[in-house]
Amino acid sequence: MAIKTPQQYIDSLKDGRIVYCNGGRVPDVTEHPILKICRDWVAMDYVLNNDPRYQDLLTEINEAGERASFALMPQRTKEDLLRLREMVKLWARVCFGKPPGAKFVAKDGLNALTVVSQRVDKKYGTNYAERVEGYRDYLQKNDSAFALAMTDVKGDRSLRPSQQTPHQDYYVRIVEERKDGITVRGAKTHISQAPLCNELLMVPCRAMREEDKAYALAFAVPVNSPGVTLISAEPEVHEHGNLFDHPIAGSVYINDATIIFEDVFVPNDRIFLKGEWDFSGQVAYMFANFHRLSAETYKAMELELFTGAATLMAEYNGVERAPHIREKLTWLVMYTEAVEILGRSACEHCISEPDSDLVYPNPLYANICKFYFADNWHQATKYIQDIAGGIVATCPSSKDFFNPEIHDMLDRAFGGKAGVPTEDRLRLVKLIRDLTSSYEDILTIHAEGSLEAQKMSIMVLGDFDRYRASAMRAARIKNPKPHPLFEALPEFPPQL
Amino acid sequence: MAIKTPQQYIDSLKDGRIVYCNGGRVPDVTEHPILKICRDWVAMDYVLNNDPRYQDLLTEINEAGERASFALMPQRTKEDLLRLREMVKLWARVCFGKPPGAKFVAKDGLNALTVVSQRVDKKYGTNYAERVEGYRDYLQKNDSAFALAMTDVKGDRSLRPSQQTPHQDYYVRIVEERKDGITVRGAKTHISQAPLCNELLMVPCRAMREEDKAYALAFAVPVNSPGVTLISAEPEVHEHGNLFDHPIAGSVYINDATIIFEDVFVPNDRIFLKGEWDFSGQVAYMFANFHRLSAETYKAMELELFTGAATLMAEYNGVERAPHIREKLTWLVMYTEAVEILGRSACEHCISEPDSDLVYPNPLYANICKFYFADNWHQATKYIQDIAGGIVATCPSSKDFFNPEIHDMLDRAFGGKAGVPTEDRLRLVKLIRDLTSSYEDILTIHAEGSLEAQKMSIMVLGDFDRYRASAMRAARIKNPKPHPLFEALPEFPPQL
Amino acid sequence: MAIKTPQQYIDSLKDGRIVYCNGGRVPDVTEHPILKICRDWVAMDYVLNNDPRYQDLLTEINEAGERASFALMPQRTKEDLLRLREMVKLWARVCFGKPPGAKFVAKDGLNALTVVSQRVDKKYGTNYAERVEGYRDYLQKNDSAFALAMTDVKGDRSLRPSQQTPHQDYYVRIVEERKDGITVRGAKTHISQAPLCNELLMVPCRAMREEDKAYALAFAVPVNSPGVTLISAEPEVHEHGNLFDHPIAGSVYINDATIIFEDVFVPNDRIFLKGEWDFSGQVAYMFANFHRLSAETYKAMELELFTGAATLMAEYNGVERAPHIREKLTWLVMYTEAVEILGRSACEHCISEPDSDLVYPNPLYANICKFYFADNWHQATKYIQDIAGGIVATCPSSKDFFNPEIHDMLDRAFGGKAGVPTEDRLRLVKLIRDLTSSYEDILTIHAEGSLEAQKMSIMVLGDFDRYRASAMRAARIKNPKPHPLFEALPEFPPQL
Amino acid sequence: MAIKTPQQYIDSLKDGRIVYCNGGRVPDVTEHPILKICRDWVAMDYVLNNDPRYQDLLTEINEAGERASFALMPQRTKEDLLRLREMVKLWARVCFGKPPGAKFVAKDGLNALTVVSQRVDKKYGTNYAERVEGYRDYLQKNDSAFALAMTDVKGDRSLRPSQQTPHQDYYVRIVEERKDGITVRGAKTHISQAPLCNELLMVPCRAMREEDKAYALAFAVPVNSPGVTLISAEPEVHEHGNLFDHPIAGSVYINDATIIFEDVFVPNDRIFLKGEWDFSGQVAYMFANFHRLSAETYKAMELELFTGAATLMAEYNGVERAPHIREKLTWLVMYTEAVEILGRSACEHCISEPDSDLVYPNPLYANICKFYFADNWHQATKYIQDIAGGIVATCPSSKDFFNPEIHDMLDRAFGGKAGVPTEDRLRLVKLIRDLTSSYEDILTIHAEGSLEAQKMSIMVLGDFDRYRASAMRAARIKNPKPHPLFEALPEFPPQL
């Protein structure tokens, strides 16, 4: 089939899947007023792939001679990474900062499995690599939307999977091994767009020890597999189509769902890790390595939008020349551009994965970028809220604004700088409310790994030998571990 | 009448007022599903005043021999201020951090007018002071809920009221002077709980120049005055009674309304400033001086709640001993207690207003407190969100949680530390979502004056002569303006 | 003798003590060009005590009927603490922010021993309390300058005293017990003004376990005791009397010395703790409780000076109206005043020590104050350096400025705002250099306990039960530990 | 002559120049104990150029067929910039973070004049470009050390050059025009290594207006020109050769001198701007553009050293595994690497100067890098000081440490983790003191332009049209100025 049309994508979702939202079972996810928001957002992947202007960027003829999403192909060069970066930029710019998730997240899980499966096969003589490739072909052939089911519900965070009480299903695990496959149980959460995808790709979210063996598990199943129940995240909005009051939340419903696996059967050819506990952490780690590109690209686009909103708001309020406003806008430009530079540099100085022919962004740079972005977000929201004023909290509904009984009085009252239509000013106010919601805050801090996760990576990846060598030379301390960059440098001060 | 019952308060609101909410005219504000949230919150003032346990703290027998709210009386001693602080603490603790607004804000406008009216009378021979006292008696007699209409809609913030285009009604102004009163026009915004009050007390929000004379205006009118239209802020919640998903937003709807004045008549005895432009800024300034006590008291109570939520969440997730979590909790304790200390100290070191017998909190300390609180809020939200995890964004609706079809699976999946009921954990998650909403952010930054306003005050109030004197002595620079604390100090180093 | 004169103090230091500085043994600490700076600074205690204008504040007739320093008496009421605060303010204002140390630090060690000795006596039947009182009498009688020897050199910070290798003297310990006393060995460091004091009061710096028993030790010895060697901190300045280039460092040399104890004998009546390891941490903790007052008072005076220097520099450079300068000055005012408020509030809300009749500042508030001060210092230095400009680093020596060959050209070149003498501008530049030295930075962070120490205290002292109770009520979670402030509050929202 | 030897450089400085330091006229700058520190540091340029290992990187055969420093050649490609970056890295790594200044700063002034002179010639028919090239040839031929005299002493910062009182020489200006040249007067300050250079290249430090015409001036003169007096910055150290106590300050004395011009004659062929006031700001701006590369490269090397010192100190103290230490080290790695990434990215995405064939680093990225570095420096110093402990302030002089009378006791007392020689630990302590001096702070904030200068540039260079376009599309506001990246994007949400 190769590239699906949006309609084919929509039709593919009518498959009996079990999805709940706002207290009720959803008979058809494609027609539910709120889930439809998620549907249309995911569908943009298909809209764009079918748009001749973007097809060269977004798709590629695969080995089978069919056109397929470039996102479903492994990246092998710096240029591939930079192209992927352009793809993510396009997705993000089109969809107000949030790339539609048909492949956006799960492709990085697939790449992680491509790398790690080869390592596992080498050590244990398994044939996971072949299965992963088979699954990759399947996805390309069906142009599947697939979700990455990674984060377990976790229970008590201070305990390992097998230590949990009162039950052992806080992480997804094998409950039965059969000749033709396995049966699994447990729950995953924060699974973006899962209710609107075709497939779930399940990978572990952490390193395991031997006693957690049953949890060292990676596999794929269709969303409508028996035993799979998806419960939608509580939506931010309560109606479809009100894009005035909710320009972002009304058009992007990521629906980070919770997925319950109740004795779900997985056939052998869709199992990619089964008990090889010593590789569990590697899958999670390699996923992060690949996924850094995505996060760092779309965040830069989000900030472009964010800084634009702050700039316009300052202008609409007539305060753009106030020194403290200029200070804040300057900071926002720095923040926006630094995220772009750091993210791009991670691609420009990418790493070749030794066990495969894949490349991924420089993980030190990538973690710095992600941390920098997430760590400064709340400062940015403070600034934009300060610029925008109390109206972000107190603005009436657009239904009042467009109510003919009071429209004129509101149109007069809410004017800003002369020449700016009141309607535009209010649209911007509502945009800023959406941009600074609790939802956006949480997404920033927790999506693609927490601040602590980045800090741990940075501590591991820092080039401490180089740093130490520099300090020892200056302090005239003999370095027990001479460093190539420093050991041969001439004496300073010189003997003259 | 003296102290009203809650029911009397509710009945008093059925007066034909013109209120809009979510696109429609509200026939009866006491029965509207969302406005009712605001009604019940404001009504707590009456509930508490009638509770024998709190009557001694909250009420007082006035000069007319009737029991009246102590909030409607002027504070004349440090002890009065500390008592007022206890009142605000009680209000705030009862109502999850947000004191119900029957008198909470407007009392400070009334006090400001008490002070400034005496000054105006002295300079211009007017009789405003007497009118203010008359109005105070009226409020006590009727136990009125009254709102302070202060912030004008402002239009272009870089222009003064009389410079605005295309119309001149961005600030409320006199359009006609009559023998028996005046007619006013314009719009005010962010007027907390106005649709659920009896009276509106209108004061200017800034200093004026002579050309802005028509805007130098203070008065009071009943909410149902002809020509007054109130448009509610878009509510955070869309249904009444869902206190699980919205423990704060579902029980406190401040409804910072926009009020349109279309040729509203104000009788002479309710006019407290009319064209005396040189006193306009003083009203705004004195209001801020009095209102600082309120803001700084309830904020400390909000933080108590906030820090409690962060602590519990850490414990429920089993991460309370992780070093980075302890670091964040430590910071939150400091933040919480520093706001308490700074706010209380402003009362303990209060200022006597020379033109009247009123006292108000030390304004330098009070501004520092307010700034400190508002400037650190986003940091606090970052910390609590970091502690709580992605579930704050992705948690299903409580309707799913209580849906018997899936309750058990969710109850198992969302468990945290063993022994903590899942329901409690989810309640806390929802509380944290409410506490970190865009609405709360904006309230923190903009309510009771923006960060820039506090900075300006601090720059004016800083004791620069003392600071300079200290530095000049150390640098051995002759001080042209000898300072009592430094001029007589012994020589250092000494001649020994 | 009661109150000594400055000359008596100086004479008392000529006692054969073993002091090193800058590479050489110092024959007479009162005549050494650099140690003399420390001498004159410490002597200010005696200058002020003999100044009739300050005698009522600084001294008191003791039980023996002699005039003694109030610093040597225990504080028993809030008023005593507030008086002590005024004393520290005077000391600090006179000496450019740094209270002369004749009693400033060690008095708090004495108070700590007063408290803890009673507890030890109670448990172990010792008579330490009596000895402490005897020592207090001795100090009052001789008006001794005494230093608190607290911080051990510590070796490997991850190991306890008895675990250290290659030797066991990283903490001071008992090496021999005799009938008439003990012999001790080890080293203490950062012992402010010790080389210019009469006595050393030695207390432990941390909690001990049973295996560290030999280190659970408190005692006093004269500075010239056999076996005591004092090595001065490397001085900041290299000449005496250049107060132009070094207004602070040239007049205040705290000389935080390192003290080596080599088999020093301590007679029984000067031993205040000897092996009661379970009380070791209490001494350190109680010292901190008492000493908080000092730190938090003088820091506020330092900031007064600091903010004055920043203000004057802005004015001398003609930039005081630039928005970014005003922003920085505003911040400095807040910082300065918040330290004053927090520190004073700790005294106003002081704690009565149950095991004695002493009071000390509220430790939660005091730790918050200290942390706030130290945590923001580097921000303050950034601001003042930004205001002052590169000249702080590049200014010529005053010897060039006063060199008649080039004075006129420098006087013209380094002018600032017209009317400000160039000399004054340069004096200020040099003051700012001194205020932002590495020495000042370190003093800020490490003196009176590190940032981490404060954080640990705050975590222990936070009122978590109250915080939790508030959050549980809002989230409607049943509190297993009902809290008096919350359990009886009326229902909210009310049933109306 | 081409490349000079270090000795030839030293000999070239014995030319009768008028230099003052620490109060006295310096008869021979090459033999003065303190100026010699600066001499040897600058001489490293010559040492390295003569080292065969580095000659290919650092030098190039010029058009005249002679070997010359690549720093004296214009950079025309991205590869040239990246090579220059490697040069600066080498210089900085050799000299403990501070590139020796024989050409390091002034080369960027030369490049700025290369660009701007062509623009001036085009507008005014002058022949400045030819003169600049002549001067470049001269510098290459003589391998001159030249300083950039840019920052004027400025007087009242709120006034323009011609508005200053009481005299007009706060900025360097023409006082006489002659047939063969001009006479100039005024003073420049912060002129790094000028007393140890051969030539001074004078450029204006700001934009001028027509009334400031006499100040719109660029020229070059030898350091020993009649009328030139150089006054050294007060040195950080007071003796030569003590590299233990001052590993940085004892080996790098930048000597940012003040230069007085008293009726100095400049011949026509060394005048590069003379009254063309409308180009004055461009010289300053283009200098900054070129010089960004330098600053951003050596800062990254400084941070490498800084982070190494922090890491080692943590290890020597045995605290490297404490969570709060790891947190700080993680932050330092981010800081170090982000400066490297941002600075390198500015070169990788460089800008071609349209009026010449020169390239320079992307100025938006470069300003962000510089701001990020300078804005975070004080945080970094706080962290390293926190890690190192109070010993940085209280450590005895190395003269005490090496005094045989007390060496052994100090060697025992100041040990850290077992196995680390005490001497190494103390060397590191002293290094950290040097790294966190007031001098380093000021250098960080003010060298290469103040924080405010960077903010202004960023505000000018931010891509606001792009930011606005993104926000308008999301808010559905019609963009009056359609942007190529956004105008053609497909509709979102799609109509499906």
Side-chain angles (χ1 to χ4, degrees), chain C residues 112-423:
Chain C
L113 289 172
T114 295
V115 170
V116 178
S117 62
Q118 298 180 35
R119 298 181 191 163
V120 183
D121 288 355
K122 208 162 157 188
K123 177 161 179 189
Y124 291 109
T126 45
N127 70 332
Y128 292 139
E130 192 183 306
R131 294 179 185 177
V132 171
E133 282 322 289
Y135 187 54
R136 190 186 284 276
D137 291 345
Y138 172 85
L139 294 167
Q140 289 185 15
K141 193 173 197 64
N142 292 280
D143 199 16
S144 306
F146 68 137
L148 187 77
M150 184 165 189
T151 308
D152 295 279
V153 291
K154 290 184 184 168
D156 185 330
R157 273 71 180 155
S158 67
L159 303 175
R160 307 189 61 81
S162 59
Q163 296 172 319
Q164 300 286 334
T165 56
H167 65 78
Q168 300 273 305
D169 300 339
Y170 282 120
Y171 292 75
V172 173
R173 61 173 172 142
I174 307 172
V175 287
E176 191 194 1
E177 295 211 39
R178 290 162 41 174
K179 201 160 194 180
D180 55 346
I182 54 173
T183 308
V184 302
R185 190 181 293 160
K188 293 271 182 178
T189 196
H190 321 321
I191 312 307
S192 301
Q193 66 268 335
L196 279 301
C197 281
N198 305 110
E199 290 273 325
L200 301 173
L201 176 58
M202 208 305 283
V203 295
C205 69
R206 57 174 293 170
M208 303 284 176
R209 298 205 188 134
E210 188 156 14
E211 57 269 36
D212 306 315
K213 224 176 133 153
Y215 300 88
L217 192 56
F219 61 83
V221 288
V223 171
N224 68 346
S225 299
V228 169
T229 304
L230 301 96
I231 300 101
S232 302
E234 186 184 356
E236 287 289 289
V237 295
H238 293 259
E239 55 185 342
H240 181 263
N242 183 351
L243 298 173
F244 192 109
D245 287 320
H246 285 292
I248 305 284
S251 53
V252 179
Y253 172 38
I254 300 183
N255 194 357
D256 310 282
T258 298
I259 307 180
I260 313 289
F261 294 86
E262 285 188 310
D263 296 342
V264 174
F265 175 71
V266 187
N268 283 331
D269 64 339
R270 288 291 184 266
I271 300 171
F272 311 126
L273 193 75
K274 193 184 79 180
E276 296 84 0
W277 61 271
D278 42 338
F279 288 91
S280 179
Q282 294 189 31
V283 178
Y285 178 71
M286 284 308 303
F287 166 73
N289 280 343
F290 286 108
H291 198 50
R292 284 280 166 268
L293 182 146
S294 307
E296 271 130 43
T297 307
Y298 85 81
K299 298 303 191 192
M301 300 300 98
E302 280 202 316
L303 291 185
E304 178 182 270
L305 196 168
F306 194 98
T307 298
T311 307
L312 284 170
M313 197 76 237
E315 291 165 351
Y316 287 6
N317 284 344
V319 296
E320 76 275 19
R321 275 184 297 272
H324 78 97
I325 300 290
R326 288 176 63 88
E327 175 94 14
K328 290 175 178 86
L329 293 178
T330 301
W331 186 92
L332 286 169
V333 173
M334 282 194 272
Y335 179 37
T336 301
E337 297 296 338
V339 170
E340 169 72 14
I341 298 167
L342 295 167
R344 187 176 54 201
S345 229
C347 290
E348 290 170 344
H349 298 266
C350 62
I351 301 292
S352 288
E353 212 299 304
D355 290 330
S356 66
D357 55 355
L358 277 64
V359 294
Y360 56 85
N362 182 305
L364 177 58
Y365 298 179
N367 276 289
I368 290 172
C369 180
K370 171 66 174 66
F371 184 85
Y372 175 75
F373 170 72
D375 195 44
N376 283 287
W377 172 261
H378 287 73
Q379 178 89 330
T381 65
K382 181 164 81 168
Y383 284 172
I384 202 172
Q385 292 170 338
D386 192 80
I387 290 168
I391 192 172
V392 175
T394 69
C395 189
S397 163
S398 67
K399 293 169 187 165
D400 287 317
F401 183 66
F402 289 118
N403 180 343
E405 295 169 36
I406 52 174
H407 173 74
D408 287 354
M409 57 173 83
L410 290 177
D411 199 57
R412 277 170 61 89
F414 284 119
K417 180 186 268 191
V420 175
T422 299
E423 182 178 327

Side-chain angles (χ1 to χ4, degrees), chain B residues 481-494:
Chain B
K481 215 167 149 183
H483 189 281
L485 274 170
F486 290 92
E487 62 180 325
L489 290 181
E491 188 185 2
F492 178 72

Side-chain angles (χ1 to χ4, degrees), chain B residues 3-6 45-53 55 59 143:
Chain B
I3 298 297
K4 270 184 191 151
T5 65
D45 182 84
Y46 299 94
V47 171
L48 289 168
N49 281 355
N50 284 284
D51 187 324
R53 295 177 299 167
Q55 221 168 46
T59 66
D143 198 16

Side-chain angles (χ1 to χ4, degrees), chain B residues 345-356:
Chain B
S345 226
C347 290
E348 289 170 344
H349 299 265
C350 62
I351 301 291
S352 288
E353 213 300 302
D355 291 330
S356 66

